[in-house]
């Protein structure tokens, strides 16, 4: 008789490593060996230690750490910055080391046949003593360094892998790679010992380093495909940013909020939607920071909590500029309605900036957020990393129904598309362009609402001026063409009439 019952699915063990369980569709395959491979500095050891530490902290699951390179004393000291008190866990019987690190004073001599039976016996003893559920071996290269017969070593490693599976241990093995592309591991043997393979990369993009994680295979189990950015943060350890797990399920609100400028509200059909993302694009000095200041002031005056991230100006500059436009940031701050965070883009990687911004949004719970300027962050990442940052930030903002305003500086004085605009164009709900307009030897300013998703908006390009009371939006430009392209041209009456008739005819 044929058995048509469905095969049992591979169970997953939650790692509790932030973001990884989403990428792994539940965690690591339970009771199996997972190889974590990468070049030097890719955070392999931190990942292995975090796997054990998270099990202890989140689910009281005991773990054994087998070290072939660093001493237990060094590991305890190095991991203290993560807030992991390994020594305390050892005293409580939750963590145990198996120290297989070589003694630098001893000469390594390989003679005759050998096996790893003694190592396996030590692992089995440690697992039995603390009833371990998790095991980490760091790094397999330490074994290959001492023993050169790969055929025998492969046999012995397979024997250990089978023994670990018989003990129902979920195991992480680490191994070195020689480069970010090419062979999975240095010796070409390690990946055949494990059921699962994870690759950590620490690639260089232009002048910056960027860490990514890729699950190459989970034997018999599902996982998300592709590379995912991650970082290592004190007190948090490895943090993976699971962009592919982001779903388009955000709510959409019909409620309008004031932009902070009455004329701008009219141009936008009554203000911004509460959960919308607004991009303000323009050349340096044309009023982007002023618009973000008015946006923050409009929210604070209405009793909304506002969060301002500044990546180009200091706190004192922002407060001084706001005062010059009749806005008292300090009073808003004293009332608990404003939080200002100023940082240089180069102070951290984009992943670190993203996680810090998300944490502040979670803690402060603002109704409005402004980022001035998001284009400054392009300096610390390549195009792919920057786009992933934008997706992570905007999806997080929309999911919490925060009205977000982002400023972007165009590369040319008269306008033109920036890299930021290219990445933002399909993500943002509204785009407002600020442009310089040169007419008869005089520099003037123009403003246009290019996009307003889900709402009618004004199509005119309006002139505006700036004084000590802020921005004043005036009348539309007439008889001028080419403002948005950066090549404004004054039309004579006959040309203006002809263009007007063509527009009416729909050509």
């Amino acid at each position: 008789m044929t058995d048509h019952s469905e095969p049992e699915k591979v169970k997953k063990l939650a790692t509790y490593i932030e973001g990884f369980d989403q990428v792994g569709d539940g965690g690591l395959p339970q009771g199996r060996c997972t190889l974590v491979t990468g070049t030097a500095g890719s955070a392999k050891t931190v990942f292995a230690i975090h796997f054990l530490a998270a099990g202890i902290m989140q689910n009281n699951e005991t773990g054994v750490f087998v070290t072939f390179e660093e001493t237990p004393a060094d590991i305890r000291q190095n991991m203290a910055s993560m807030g992991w008190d390994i020594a305390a866990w050892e005293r409580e019987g939750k963590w145990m080391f198996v120290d297989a690190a070589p003694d630098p004073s001893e000469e390594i001599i390989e003679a005759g046949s050998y096996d790893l039976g003694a190592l396996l016996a030590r692992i089995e003893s440690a697992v039995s003593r603390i009833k371990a559920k998790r095991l980490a071996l760091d790094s397999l290269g330490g074994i290959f360094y001492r023993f050169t017969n790969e055929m025998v070593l492969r046999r012995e490693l397979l024997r250990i892998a089978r023994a670990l599976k018989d003990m129902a241990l979920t195991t992480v093995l680490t191994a070195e790679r020689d480069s970010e592309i090419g062979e999975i591991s240095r010796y070409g043997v390690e990946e055949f010992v494990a059921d699962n393979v994870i690759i950590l990369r620490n690639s260089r993009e232009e002048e910056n380093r960027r860490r990514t994680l890729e699950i190459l295979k989970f034997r018999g189990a599902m996982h998300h495909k592709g590379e995912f950015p991650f970082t290592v943060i004190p007190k948090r350890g490895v943090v993976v940013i699971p962009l592919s797990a982001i779903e388009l399920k955000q709510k959409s609100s019909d409620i309008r909020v004031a932009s902070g400028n009455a004329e701008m509200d009219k141009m936008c059909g009554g203000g911004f939607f509460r959960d919308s993302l607004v991009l303000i694009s323009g050349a340096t000095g044309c009023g982007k920071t002023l618009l973000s200041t008015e946006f923050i002031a409009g929210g604070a005056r209405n009793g909304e909590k506002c969060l301002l991230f500044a990546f180009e100006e200091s706190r004192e500059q922002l407060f001084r500029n706001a005062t010059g436009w009749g806005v008292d940031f300090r009073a808003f701050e004293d009332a608990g309605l404003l939080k200002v965070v100023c940082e240089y883009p180069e102070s951290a990687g984009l992943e670190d900036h993203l996680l810090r911004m998300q944490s502040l949004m979670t803690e402060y719970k603002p109704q409005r957020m402004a980022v001035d300027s998001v284009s400054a962050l392009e300096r610390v990442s390549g195009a792919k990393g920057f786009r992933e940052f934008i997706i992570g930030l905007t999806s997080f903002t929309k999911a919490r129904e925060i009205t977000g305003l982002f400023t972007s500086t165009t590369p040319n004085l008269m306008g033109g598309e920036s890299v930021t605009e290219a990445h933002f164009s399909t993500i943002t709900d509204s785009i407002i362009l600020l442009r310089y307009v040169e007419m008869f030897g005089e520099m003037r300013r123009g403003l246009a609402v290019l996009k307003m998703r889900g709402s009618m908006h004004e199509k005119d390009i309006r002139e505006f001026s700036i004084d000590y009371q802020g921005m004043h939006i005036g009348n539309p430009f007439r008889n001028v063409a080419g403002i948005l392209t950066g090549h404004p041209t004054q039309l004579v009456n006959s040309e203006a009439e002809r263009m007007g008739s063509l527009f009416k005819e729909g050509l």
Side-chain angles (χ1 to χ4, degrees), residues 363-385:
E363 294 167 10
Y364 187 63
K365 295 180 174 59
Q367 281 82 49
R368 296 189 182 210
M369 179 190 71
V371 181
D372 184 36
S373 112
V374 72
S375 55
L377 293 164
E378 292 176 20
R379 301 199 301 261
V380 296
S381 177
K384 182 179 179 182

Side-chain angles (χ1 to χ4, degrees), residues 224-257:
H224 287 270
K225 309 300 190 294
E227 290 186 73
F228 300 86
F230 78 93
T231 187
V232 178
I233 300 178
K235 309 299 182 184
R236 292 174 70 178
V238 174
V239 181
V240 182
I241 303 171
L243 294 175
S244 74
I246 296 172
E247 299 179 327
L248 289 172
K249 294 183 178 179
Q250 298 94 337
K251 297 178 182 178
S252 184
S253 174
D254 292 327
I255 299 173
R256 300 269 188 170
V257 297

Side-chain angles (χ1 to χ4, degrees), residues 106-116 141-156 187:
E106 293 183 0
E107 182 181 359
I108 297 174
I109 300 175
E110 182 182 346
S113 61
Y114 62 89
D115 62 40
L116 297 176
I143 302 177
F144 284 88
Y145 174 72
R146 282 174 274 180
F147 305 112
T148 57
N149 190 327
E150 289 186 9
M151 184 173 166
V152 176
L153 190 53
R154 182 173 180 175
R155 181 196 69 203
E156 291 299 307
Y187 298 97

